Amino acid sequence: MDDFYRENILDHYRNPRNAGTLEDATHTHEENNPLCGDVIRIDLHVNDDNVINEVAFKGRGCAISQASASMLMEMIQGKTLDEAKAIGKEEILEALGIEIGPTRLKCALLSLKVLKAGAYGLSESEWNKDDDW
Amino acid sequence: MDDFYRENILDHYRNPRNAGTLEDATHTHEENNPLCGDVIRIDLHVNDDNVINEVAFKGRGCAISQASASMLMEMIQGKTLDEAKAIGKEEILEALGIEIGPTRLKCALLSLKVLKAGAYGLSESEWNKDDDW
Amino acid sequence: MFDVEKIIQDFPILNQGGTSKPLTYLDSTASSQKPTAVIEAMDTYYREYNANVHRGIYQISEKASDAYEKSRKKVGRFINARNWREIIFTRNATESLNLVAYSWGQANIKAGDVIITTEMEHHANLIPWQQLAARNGATVKYIPVTEQGYLDMAAFEAMLSPEVKLVAVTQMSNVLGTIPPIDDIIEKAHAVGALVLLDGAQSVPHMPVDVQALDCDFLAFSGHKMLGPTGIGVLWAREEILNAMPPFMTGGDMIKHVSFEGSTWNDLPWKFEAGTPAIAEVIGLGYAVDYLNTLGMDNIRQHEIDIVTYALDQLNQVEGLRIFGPKTPENRGGSISFTLGDIHPHDVSAILDSEGVAVRAGHHCAMPLHEKFGLAATTRASFYIYNTNSDVDRLVIGLDKCLNLMA
Amino acid sequence: MFDVEKIIQDFPILNQGGTSKPLTYLDSTASSQKPTAVIEAMDTYYREYNANVHRGIYQISEKASDAYEKSRKKVGRFINARNWREIIFTRNATESLNLVAYSWGQANIKAGDVIITTEMEHHANLIPWQQLAARNGATVKYIPVTEQGYLDMAAFEAMLSPEVKLVAVTQMSNVLGTIPPIDDIIEKAHAVGALVLLDGAQSVPHMPVDVQALDCDFLAFSGHKMLGPTGIGVLWAREEILNAMPPFMTGGDMIKHVSFEGSTWNDLPWKFEAGTPAIAEVIGLGYAVDYLNTLGMDNIRQHEIDIVTYALDQLNQVEGLRIFGPKTPENRGGSISFTLGDIHPHDVSAILDSEGVAVRAGHHCAMPLHEKFGLAATTRASFYIYNTNSDVDRLVIGLDKCLNLMA
Ligand SMILES: Cc1ncc(COP(=O)(O)O)c(C=O)c1O
Ligand SMILES: Cc1ncc(COP(=O)(O)O)c(C=O)c1O
């Protein structure tokens, strides 16, 4: 337990960074995890230099999904779109710093899915490509 | 093997009693066993005293189905319809004198089924009643 | 006679365990654990007489056929079917329900007809009827669930009309635990000429079920929830109804005669069992039924009433815990779904897991019911023959840790 | 590397046996025997981590989900699928074929369309198309089988037209052993815009199958014929096709969102897996695939060519024995169907059984083919990885006894 709910996860969960929505978002997308009802919406503002200069997320769900969304927001803010696109599963799991089984993996990666499938406009099969086997 | 194909079964198989058809049958019926293609047709002639005075069967199939049909013909000939109706599974199995598994049971009882379901005009659920459990 | 400590000895997983802490298994509503007798029966089949059934004229195949059909009789007697021909083996309760929706449904549901189900159904007893209705222009109506988790019977009565062809209702809710007034439902449905299908996925494992006494028309249930293996389910229906139904899946074993022009169908029950069946699983289910019979379904029901009585009492003392469904043990089964303050059920479940307590979190395949209660998910603890009051205690201790950590 | 004596050690039934005489098992075409690794994998699941999959947030459920999805990947790689989402778990090959007929078929087969299949199909790859055609006003055409057991390819070509929407053909006959010219069939079918479904129930266990190299569209097969348990089958199809297909059965686990108004479906492959799946069986199948991979499918195919070569040679010397199907081992699999004079196949099989030799007698779920050859039944001996030439010798000795006794 103390292992699973590490202080940094609980911290992000209790104090999410960049919570809310953006009025002037250039990209907005929402996804839910049908198995548990977790929902995450992400708003981005990408400027003319292709830099993500504003981020916000809004969600409902478990500590893992909300904390990982909060962490992801920190990771992409200030990056260019291309830099942000390079962020994958491994980076999220590393940030969480815990071992995650297949069911909760969906919670942990929900925010990444919103970003890739939605904000970056990648199709499921594209962003899932590394996941073919 | 020597157990399974006892002399009396092989004898009935090689020399079936009452093989053929009746021109003046009062009852005629045919059934097949869908699982193996065995076919048996039975013709009866029942006289005014309700006595089965003539019997004949025609068939195609394995030694068990043909021998048991031949044995059944011997059993019912000369009996009244009511007496014949009392003949069941047990009598046939006793006549064959061997232990029979569930698959071949269908072969062994095919002629009885023809008689009960067809010649006696009983519905499947009636003649199968003892077989509900 | 009903000695829980002795029962626990029969379940390998509760003794050796696959978890780091000893396992408190409170998820039998999702799938029950299996006793040694069931596991070994399948093992023995594979090691000693594995062969395809029905058509083999050699010893091991005859033995397999015999064991397969003996299991059918065991299952038939267990629910007091009229005869073994009324027992159809499927993969799970879900397939049993789909079989009825495809076969009976396509032949009997026409435009304008009404199918009644309830707001508390598992998706398996909901979507097949929605799909059937959409295909054929019929309507699905839902008996409302009250705040207390009961069916609104007045609303049900108001729905009844000659257009109602089927009432498909659970005999025990997998979320709320509710045991609806089935006798009443069957009587009223039959009065307007509707057939009644019972989803027995939760009732058959947990209480005595007698289809003749109930006078229902269809009953669907799953082996894996009643001590049996995965991959095996059952559809029971009255023989006349099954006889009149067209086949569902077609292929080997379900035919009388096949030609290039067309085919005729085998007798019951094989007409509905196309292809090589789940032989080992059917045999395993037979042993599960034997095990349940030895304990006695009345005793099992009483054990669950006892443990639910204790659990409701203990859980009511946990801060911020809200239980959904009937509060009286006599009207409910052993599934207790709840929320714990604002803590997400996933987190509750994960924290409980770290304490060795296995519960389920989510919508439990009853999304519309959860939405009705304004929830995305609940946590569910469920009890079976091998659970004791000390499992309840471990659950409560775990919930206290959740509160400490997350609140 | 391919050491039959060592392989036999892995199969409990071939060592301890359930028959009074040691078992010569020549019925693997109906169902194969199972190695210890497969039996124990399921045992371990039930004893150590039995739990429902996909939704449980506790250790044993996570472990079960993981093992379940790992098996899917193993199966996918085994037939060289593009990705694991193309692998759908069913009960058996029969259900896989029915899934295509109901889901793809209802959406794509219209009045006037043509479905081509062959005269040598198993009922499972015949009746679903007859039923589909009858429902939708389409026509089924049958590629004729020649006296020698080959497909009449000229007749096939003459059938091709833009109306042909599906060509459903076996990759290896379970009666004649015939391996049809699949590459040619696929190329010609695709040229008129038809999809190609392969019945791989016999091919997948017995030879290398690569769906990408074949460029087929659907492939159906069964676990129990390839060292796996009963109760588990596979449908593979191209992802685009599966994505476009409506669901077959509906219920839990196959949904994204459910409301009283309707439902949306889950992603592949779960869209087609409604309800609690055959968890233990899927895990067992994964171990069966591991076992086959260790031996190597090329080696298995070569072993069967060798044993069939010997068997054809020996059987040709039995008086009055007539073999159906190709006489050249390269063009056939390990199923050899024959008649022995006028002796009924049931009697042949029963006498062989009394000698400890298990063969099958009947129409082998290919009634139309048997009727075409003017037969009600044949006897079939079939070979697999654990059979040796001395099994062939025991078969021949048994056939001589049949002749002595019955002629
Ligand atoms: C060629 C072929 N197709 C389909 C099947 C059906 O397989 P199952 O009974 O496992 O569904 C079989 C096996 O009997 C077969 O040999
Ligand atoms: C009430 C109810 N109905 C149907 C089902 C479906 O059972 P299965 O998944 O075994 O098909 C379940 C189990 O999840 C259930 O609890």
Side-chain angles (χ1 to χ4, degrees), chain D residues 86-252:
Chain D
E86 295 183 332
I87 301 295
I88 313 289
F89 288 122
T90 62
R91 174 176 38 249
N92 50 24
T94 301
E95 185 186 351
S96 302
L97 293 161
N98 277 273
L99 193 167
V100 176
Y102 271 103
S103 165
W104 180 87
Q106 281 307 107
N108 290 281
I109 296 295
K110 309 265 176 284
D113 286 347
V114 173
I115 298 166
I116 296 181
T117 179
T118 85
E119 288 184 347
M120 66 181 172
E121 297 307 315
H122 188 281
H123 294 158
N125 197 27
L126 202 69
I127 315 180
W129 314 124
Q130 292 182 339
Q131 295 286 102
L132 169 62
R135 279 198 300 272
N136 295 6
T139 309
V140 180
K141 294 191 178 168
Y142 304 90
I143 307 175
V145 173
T146 67
E147 197 58 35
Q148 290 71 40
Y150 292 99
L151 291 183
D152 180 343
M153 291 297 286
F156 169 58
E157 287 176 40
M159 285 174 191
L160 290 169
S161 77
E163 284 73 43
V164 179
K165 293 295 177 330
L166 181 72
V167 178
V169 55
T170 186
Q171 209 183 352
M172 182 186 282
S173 161
N174 66 315
V175 179
L176 305 172
T178 316
I179 300 173
I182 291 296
D183 289 336
D184 198 23
I185 291 172
I186 291 173
E187 199 186 314
K188 294 196 166 106
H190 281 175
V192 298
L195 297 187
V196 178
L197 176 147
L198 298 183
D199 176 354
Q202 295 305 330
S203 56
V204 173
H206 295 280
M207 63 191 226
V209 173
D210 177 333
V211 292
Q212 293 192 61
L214 283 164
D215 193 30
C216 55
D217 302 291
F218 299 99
L219 176 73
F221 54 103
S222 279
H224 69 95
K225 295 185 199 279
M226 52 189 283
L227 311 183
T230 53
I232 183 68
V234 178
L235 173 67
W236 168 89
R238 284 196 286 116
E239 190 172 4
E240 318 82 83
I241 297 175
L242 288 172
N243 263 324
M245 279 162 59
F248 173 36
M249 298 204 218
T250 54

Side-chain angles (χ1 to χ4, degrees), chain B residues 31-35 100-107 113 124-125 128-129 131-133, chain C residues 54-57 62 65-66 73 76-77 81-85 253 255-256 266-267 270:
Chain B
E31 289 267 346
N32 75 329
N33 179 343
L35 292 179
I100 289 193
T103 308
R104 308 257 11 228
L105 200 59
K106 295 206 180 85
C107 305
K113 180 173 176 180
E124 169 120 14
S125 67
N128 252 333
K129 228 176 209 126
D131 186 33
D132 276 358
W133 287 113
Chain C
H54 292 151
R55 288 150 303 168
I57 304 174
E62 298 267 7
S65 301
D66 203 40
K73 294 184 180 183
R77 285 180 191 278
R82 279 174 202 80
N83 63 59
W84 53 266
R85 290 181 291 278
D253 238 33
I255 53 96
K256 263 223 168 81
N266 202 344
D267 299 325
W270 306 292

